[in-house]
Amino acid sequence: MAFQQGLSGLNSSSKALDVISNNVANANTVGFKAGRAEFSDVFAAALNGAAAGVQVGIGSAIGAVTQLFSQGNITTTNNPLDVAINGNGFFRMSAPDGSIAYTRNGQFDVNKDGFIVNSQGFQLTGYAATNGVILTGGEPQRLQLDFSDVQPNPSSQMTLAMNFDSREPISPSFDVTNPTPLDRTNTAAGGYNFSTSATAYDTLGNAHTLTFFFQKTAAGTWDGFYQVDGTGDAIAIPAPGSPLQFDTAGTMTAGGQFDLTFPEFAGTGASATQTISFDLADSSQFGSAFGVNTLRQDGFASGRLTGITIGDDGVILGRYSNGQSRDLGQVVLANFQSPNGLLSLGGNLWAESPDSGQPIVGVPGSANLGLLNAGAIEEANVDLTAELVQLIVQQRAYQANAQSVRAQDQILQTLVNLR
């Protein structure tokens, strides 16, 4: 009877309206994936083997409610811990009870223990790093940021490349107890022709200023001296570092490479035996003004974590107050052979199920996994225009099914009224 068909249509349209309403309600939910009600017709089994074209269906049913895992729009934010997935995959989250869940919502924060968490307290997983080295492979772990200070690195090498002005006059003397610049209007008084300074770090990360003085003693020949932190006598750079010698083409032919030990560093409690190797071999002597072209050294002070950046490959890079950076870990993604088989847990979370298959875990950009966009979120993939149109369609379908029930009621009323 038409009552059954109409009732099934009412139920199917009602469920479809539920799905559409849920999509509309979550249009602003980050990482939400729209659902779709899939209808199927229903036929009664005919024991007498009804011929084709004679069977009449007994209504409709919702065969399944599937989720559409299409890409949502990516919108930038001001939070470096907001992360969007551009492509396939899910963030792998560890629940407070140790179970694993998956999500596309990349709105993260750091809790008091340094773990990267979502709003429900689930912890983001990935590969941990030890002393800046990411330990890839194996079971992903809960990612915990290390807020401890970066240990200082004492300077051990320094490179200086300078141009010495070949037009400079010769200085007859240099007073190590009172380094003064050469008076070019009265060269007889002596002094240094040029000076430059550089910063070096001791074993405790304290910065020290090394000032170098250069005195031209003959054509193409320069003696070098240094002073630590602007105090005490200037000390002559020992051979083979001094004198610096240049040929007529301005190329250094001798000197420029030497080692210095700094007992002065002991004044800050650091090692008194720290040795730094200096390389001035790329210096030149041309007829142009004195200038430093290269200055680099390998030391740095201790530093505190000031911020993090997440790369598109999931690597979490920590930035420190001393200008250094190091890897703190790497986010992993997971994908499934059948994402529609995932069990929805609510709160933008899914769980593995027999229908989804086992998770395929890897770093972003590997296999068929997408890349990450830090400082961005993935919007819901809900098309509001399409949903509102479907809302009208299902509303009309519901009204039409109600009309079929009413028509059957009128037919029965006619039969009852027969006399």
Side-chain angles (χ1 to χ4, degrees):
M1 296 178 67
F3 278 131
Q4 184 171 342
Q5 287 94 331
L7 182 60
S8 69
L10 289 173
N11 288 333
S12 297
S13 294
S14 178
K15 291 179 180 178
L17 285 169
D18 289 342
V19 174
I20 295 170
S21 297
N22 186 59
N23 290 343
V24 173
N26 285 282
N28 292 320
T29 301
V30 174
F32 176 78
K33 297 304 175 184
R36 181 179 64 187
E38 298 181 351
F39 291 81
S40 62
D41 58 348
V42 180
F43 275 81
L47 296 179
N48 60 355
V54 177
Q55 272 185 293
V56 176
I58 60 174
S60 66
I62 297 294
V65 177
T66 61
Q67 288 191 294
L68 307 176
F69 286 95
S70 59
Q71 179 72 46
N73 293 329
I74 293 178
T75 303
T76 58
T77 68
N78 294 323
N79 184 3
L81 283 173
D82 285 342
V83 186
I85 301 174
N86 190 358
N88 297 323
F90 299 83
F91 295 110
R92 185 179 182 274
M93 310 297 296
S94 177
D97 62 2
S99 61
I100 300 299
Y102 304 89
T103 185
R104 292 280 297 194
N105 185 350
Q107 292 177 302
F108 299 121
D109 202 353
V110 179
N111 67 11
K112 63 182 179 63
D113 298 316
F115 290 102
I116 301 176
V117 298
N118 66 5
S119 58
Q120 294 105 315
F122 284 61
Q123 297 167 337
L124 183 64
T125 66
Y127 298 127
T130 301
N131 295 326
V133 179
I134 297 175
L135 308 176
T136 58
E139 184 73 9
Q141 306 295 319
R142 298 175 300 167
L143 290 173
Q144 185 178 24
L145 301 183
D146 184 2
F147 288 96
S148 59
D149 289 359
V150 172
Q151 292 185 350
N153 185 58
S155 301
S156 62
Q157 295 181 336
M158 184 176 293
T159 299
L160 274 167
M162 299 165 283
N163 178 67
F164 293 85
D165 192 343
S166 63
R167 300 167 298 181
E168 276 292 301
I170 294 174
S171 172
S173 62
F174 176 77
D175 185 359
V176 296
T177 63
N178 183 28
T180 54
L182 177 67
D183 182 356
R184 290 167 178 78
T185 62
N186 181 22
T187 57
Y192 60 85
N193 296 76
F194 303 114
S195 70
T196 189
S197 60
T199 300
Y201 295 89
D202 63 26
T203 55
L204 296 179
N206 297 301
H208 297 273
T209 300
L210 306 182
T211 304
F212 295 92
F213 306 98
F214 299 99
Q215 173 199 7
K216 186 175 183 180
T217 56
T221 302
W222 302 75
D223 284 346
F225 305 83
Y226 71 95
Q227 189 180 51
V228 180
D229 292 329
T231 60
D233 293 348
I235 304 172
I237 296 174
S242 181
L244 305 177
Q245 295 183 328
F246 298 89
D247 61 18
T248 55
T251 302
M252 182 176 287
T253 57
Q257 292 182 326
F258 53 93
D259 295 340
L260 297 178
T261 301
F262 296 92
E264 297 89 348
F265 290 177
T268 61
S271 172
T273 60
Q274 181 177 340
T275 298
I276 302 177
S277 297
F278 292 85
D279 186 356
L280 281 64
D282 288 334
S283 297
S284 59
Q285 180 187 258
F286 299 128
S288 56
F290 174 83
V292 178
N293 303 315
T294 301
L295 173 56
R296 60 176 179 267
Q297 56 88 35
D298 58 355
F300 52 81
S302 62
R304 293 186 175 180
L305 186 65
T306 58
I308 65 170
T309 302
I310 301 178
D312 59 5
D313 57 355
V315 173
I316 305 172
L317 184 69
R319 303 188 306 274
Y320 293 84
S321 58
N322 59 358
Q324 300 299 305
S325 61
R326 68 176 180 179
D327 295 341
L328 301 177
Q330 186 172 21
V331 179
V332 298
L333 296 179
N335 204 8
F336 297 85
Q337 293 290 344
S338 178
N340 268 315
L342 290 170
L343 178 65
S344 181
L345 302 177
N348 279 356
L349 294 167
W350 291 272
E352 175 188 349
S353 77
D355 294 332
S356 67
Q358 293 185 337
I360 303 169
V361 179
V363 298
S366 65
N368 66 338
L369 297 173
L371 296 171
L372 301 186
N373 280 21
I377 56 173
E378 180 189 8
E379 297 179 353
N381 64 346
V382 176
D383 184 341
L384 276 177
T385 302
E387 296 297 331
L388 292 175
V389 170
Q390 283 300 311
L391 192 65
I392 296 172
V393 171
Q394 294 304 325
Q395 182 183 10
R396 293 291 179 261
Y398 192 94
Q399 292 172 336
N401 280 286
Q403 283 295 103
S404 71
V405 172
R406 179 180 297 175
Q408 184 65 31
D409 175 61
Q410 291 174 348
I411 291 172
L412 286 176
Q413 186 65 41
T414 301
L415 292 175
V416 168
N417 292 336
L418 288 176
R419 291 187 175 90

